[in-house]
Amino acid sequence: MSPVDGPAGAPWWRGAVVYQVYLRSFADADGDGSGDVRGLRSRLTYLRDLGVDALWINPWYPSPMVDGGYDVADYRSVDPRFGTLADAEALLDDAHRLGLRVLLDIVPNHTSDQHPWFRAAIAAGPGSAERRRYLFRPGRGPGGDEPPNDWQSVFGRSAWTRVVEPDGRPGEWYLHLFAAEQPDLDWTHPDVRADFEKTLRFWFDRGVDGFRIDVAHSLVKQEGLPDVGSGTAPELLTDAPAWPPGEHPHWDREEVHAVYREWRAVADSYREPRVFVAEAWVDGPERLARYVRPDELHSAFGFDFLVSPWRALALRRAVESTLLEHAAVGAPSTWVLSNHDTVRPVSRYAREQTDKPAFNLHHLAGRPADLARGRSRARAAALLMLALPGSAYLYQGDELGLPEVEDLPEDVLQDPEWTRSGHARRGRDGCRVPLPWTSGGPPYGFSPPGAAPPWLPQPPVWGELAVARQDGDPASTLELNRAALRLRRSHPALGDGTLRWLDAPDGVLAFARDPGFGCLVNVSDRSVPLPAGSRLLLASCPPDAGGRLPPDATAWLDTGERA
Ligand code: TEU
């Protein structure tokens, strides 16, 4: 068994629970109101005690922070607001000493407009070698006044911006699938491929255990950059299915897989092989599984589960199809309920559940919320997720049951989605509010005394949801997560493996995992009996006096069966 192997000899990542650290909002050590690497180092024992196996840290590279660090100006350094390279190395040492692995976030689709390559491209002018690393094109129409094609930015409006040429005249346009400050790279250019390989090695050589790959499905664009055509919406999940699989001009194209075969070879060249997880919003598990074929990436977020409403059939369908398609290529499924782009589960499940995916705040606008119900469901969903075969990602603050902060004042909103959508969508700041560590008022232990206010204001409810308040309270969401992670670690049936669905009443999901584990998820609106002969290990809500599991609750059971 190599040092990277898990208890049963399987590679650690196949069944790992990974905690997502949104660094700006995790813990602030230097008192500037924004989280940093030293803050994270000071809280590593909290993560060890929570019981996770690894961390994924959102981009910490030098960045103008137009898109929270997803606009990278230098891939092989650390932004001074977050710390230094020495701090990063110390963090890796500390984490490894505590038995935590560390994944970083790589952003290959685009750079910042302040990246030296893009600055050189602007300065060098049309036709230059420097411009060929990006996607510069002449405009359409008289005078080239129209964008080169109809592609839309994910954040709203055209995906093209026109530049002023060195001679002062309006000139070419460049492509940016996200903000204008995030120009897309041209992945057919050998410099681009070589430089990212260099970045992977730079961090792997420093002991980083792997990478989450940002918008992994967008890198390679169709030659000639043809129009997407009519009837498309600027939203990933809605415009992809209109296209035959693999043929959208910029999402999920076949050519992207060659890049990941190269990256896999880099990861495998290390004595302790490094791992990848793809962020790929593609059209269903079958397309997703293509990213985790044996010579490609190790894992990919199963977003069908994330967007699934709290409804038994939808959840079962998402789980079943994800498991099936991953098994076909020999990869473990990767479950996730939220991240820094999506609305907090407590607030999502607080709404009436429709058949439509509702993973962004703007999907919920105007729909009445019952946060207590949302929290029950979020707790139940967490136990469901942690009982499923494969690995799971836990977004910071979800272990505390934090809700989305839906009423941030407009003047503090920073997400480029807010401005680019012409204020039609408030964006993703509401799930990025700095964490509450202690009760007693802002900054709730996020920053040291006397610090600048947190970069987003924290709501009063942070007091009752703070880590210190939940610590030791067996009824708290924090203790529920700790108990689940403890059990998951010690129970031989949990983590990587398979499941067997069991017969269950309408609105209830029931499955078994060998040896001796059962999971019952009550998505219906009435309580249901626990199976006879089983012993309750953990429940997101205690059974009633008659031993029945209430609605919106999950139970973990010892079924007594031994292999
Ligand atoms: O997100 C990819 C993405 O397209 C969506 O999650 C998108 O941000 C959301 O649907 C908008 O409502 C990744 C990062 O996770 C995100 O934070 C970045 O903004 C984006 O890439 C660009 O790098």
Side-chain angles (χ1 to χ4, degrees):
M1 200 162 104
S2 93
V4 288
D5 289 339
W12 69 272
W13 49 268
R14 292 187 64 96
V17 177
V18 184
Y19 184 92
Q20 181 190 347
V21 177
Y22 194 69
L23 198 56
R24 286 207 282 181
S25 303
F26 188 74
D28 167 26
D30 66 8
D32 66 353
S34 187
D36 45 45
V37 177
R38 278 202 298 124
L40 171 57
R41 280 183 71 196
S42 74
R43 301 283 187 188
L44 279 178
T45 50
Y46 167 77
L47 298 177
R48 190 232 9 229
D49 297 344
L50 179 60
V52 298
D53 304 295
L55 324 177
W56 148 37
I57 305 170
N58 289 100
W60 62 13
Y61 319 107
S63 162
M65 294 285 167
V66 169
D67 184 19
Y70 284 93
D71 45 327
V72 180
D74 175 0
Y75 289 83
R76 297 186 285 272
S77 183
V78 174
D79 192 285
R81 276 168 286 198
F82 290 135
T84 62
L85 192 55
D87 291 331
E89 287 171 339
L91 169 83
L92 288 166
D93 280 353
D94 288 357
H96 288 157
R97 210 170 307 121
L98 293 172
L100 296 166
R101 290 184 166 87
V102 179
L103 312 184
L104 301 185
D105 200 322
I106 194 158
V107 188
N109 180 68
H110 43 264
T111 68
S112 161
D113 63 349
Q114 297 308 307
H115 189 285
W117 275 4
F118 193 75
R119 293 167 68 116
I122 292 290
S128 61
E130 286 82 349
R131 287 214 172 167
R132 285 200 283 277
R133 296 186 183 120
Y134 293 89
L135 293 154
F136 283 86
R137 295 290 182 275
R140 291 201 282 210
D145 290 344
E146 302 289 323
N149 69 24
D150 67 352
W151 296 4
Q152 296 290 301
S153 154
V154 170
F155 297 144
R157 307 212 306 268
S158 170
W160 295 90
T161 290
R162 195 171 197 184
V163 303
V164 176
E165 299 298 358
D167 65 6
R169 281 193 291 211
E172 290 188 318
W173 300 68
Y174 66 89
L175 178 72
H176 51 87
L177 290 181
F178 293 88
E181 295 84 354
Q182 295 169 295
D184 278 46
L185 288 161
D186 184 345
W187 270 85
T188 65
H189 197 298
D191 284 1
V192 173
R193 291 174 114 93
D195 197 66
F196 274 91
E197 197 171 315
K198 194 169 161 191
T199 295
L200 293 177
R201 290 186 192 282
F202 177 89
W203 292 106
F204 287 158
D205 290 347
R206 280 162 182 76
V208 164
D209 299 284
F211 280 98
R212 176 256 191 193
I213 305 170
D214 189 57
V215 251
H217 58 309
S218 61
L219 272 45
V220 190
K221 279 78 182 177
Q222 185 172 353
E223 221 184 312
L225 311 183
D227 281 347
V228 167
S230 59
T232 58
E235 234 180 86
L236 300 179
L237 288 174
T238 46
D239 82 342
W243 284 81
E247 284 185 27
H248 188 281
H250 60 75
W251 296 135
D252 191 26
R253 296 190 58 75
E254 296 299 321
E255 300 89 318
V256 81
H257 295 280
V259 174
Y260 300 132
R261 289 193 191 99
E262 289 169 22
W263 285 21
R264 179 64 181 249
V266 175
D268 285 350
S269 71
Y270 285 78
R271 194 176 60 83
E272 289 192 25
R274 310 303 155 99
V275 303
F276 295 108
V277 57
E279 186 221 19
W281 291 87
V282 296
D283 186 17
E286 191 268 328
R287 295 299 301 177
L288 189 67
R290 301 168 61 82
Y291 289 76
V292 291
R293 289 176 289 193
D295 59 346
E296 296 193 38
L297 304 174
H298 305 74
S299 56
F301 295 122
F303 289 129
D304 277 43
F305 180 65
L306 185 153
V307 303
S308 175
W310 184 248
R311 288 182 151 202
L313 262 180
L315 286 165
R316 174 153 174 175
R317 232 180 262 139
V319 169
E320 249 180 337
S321 56
T322 302
L323 287 173
L324 189 82
E325 298 296 348
H326 282 71
V329 293
S333 299
T334 302
W335 308 104
V336 58
L337 286 168
S338 82
N339 61 38
H340 65 292
D341 294 331
T342 62
V343 71
R344 292 272 188 194
V346 167
S347 303
R348 179 157 59 94
Y349 297 136
R351 270 54 188 215
E352 191 196 341
Q353 300 296 291
T354 70
D355 282 330
K356 285 210 174 127
F359 55 96
N360 275 333
L361 179 58
H362 65 270
H363 295 132
L364 306 182
R367 287 161 58 185
D370 175 349
L371 287 180
R373 188 158 204 210
R375 181 160 296 111
S376 301
R377 290 173 170 172
R379 288 164 58 101
L383 286 201
L384 163 61
M385 171 173 88
L386 293 172
L388 291 173
S391 103
Y393 279 66
L394 191 58
Y395 177 47
Q396 72 177 36
D398 281 356
E399 82 278 21
L400 304 174
L402 299 186
E404 182 85 1
V405 183
E406 299 185 35
D407 57 355
L408 286 170
E410 291 185 355
D411 62 350
V412 306
L413 296 180
Q414 300 205 9
D415 187 353
E417 193 171 11
W418 166 243
T419 36
R420 281 202 75 85
S421 70
H423 298 178
R425 308 202 304 247
R426 288 172 63 86
R428 303 160 295 176
D429 292 315
C431 65
R432 300 174 175 180
V433 174
L435 289 190
W437 294 94
T438 56
S439 38
Y444 297 106
F446 170 70
S447 298
W455 71 278
L456 286 173
Q458 300 157 304
V461 71
W462 258 214
E464 64 206 59
L465 295 170
V467 172
R469 187 67 81 81
Q470 298 195 39
D471 188 27
D473 172 1
S476 73
T477 300
L478 175 60
E479 291 298 348
L480 177 72
N481 277 287
R482 285 177 175 161
L485 292 171
R486 241 189 335 264
L487 259 166
R488 181 178 160 114
R489 213 169 244 193
S490 61
H491 202 297
L494 293 178
D496 193 20
T498 55
L499 62 68
R500 268 179 299 120
W501 293 103
L502 303 174
D503 286 342
D506 273 359
V508 177
L509 303 181
F511 57 86
R513 301 196 57 189
D514 294 329
F517 180 87
C519 182
L520 197 72
V521 189
N522 187 0
V523 195
S524 80
D525 52 12
R526 66 214 179 291
S527 56
V528 294
L530 293 172
S534 62
R535 185 173 64 86
L536 187 65
L537 294 171
L538 186 66
S540 64
C541 174
D544 63 22
R548 296 168 71 88
L549 187 67
D552 299 325
T554 296
W556 284 10
L557 304 160
D558 182 340
T559 60
E561 289 165 24
R562 289 288 168 258

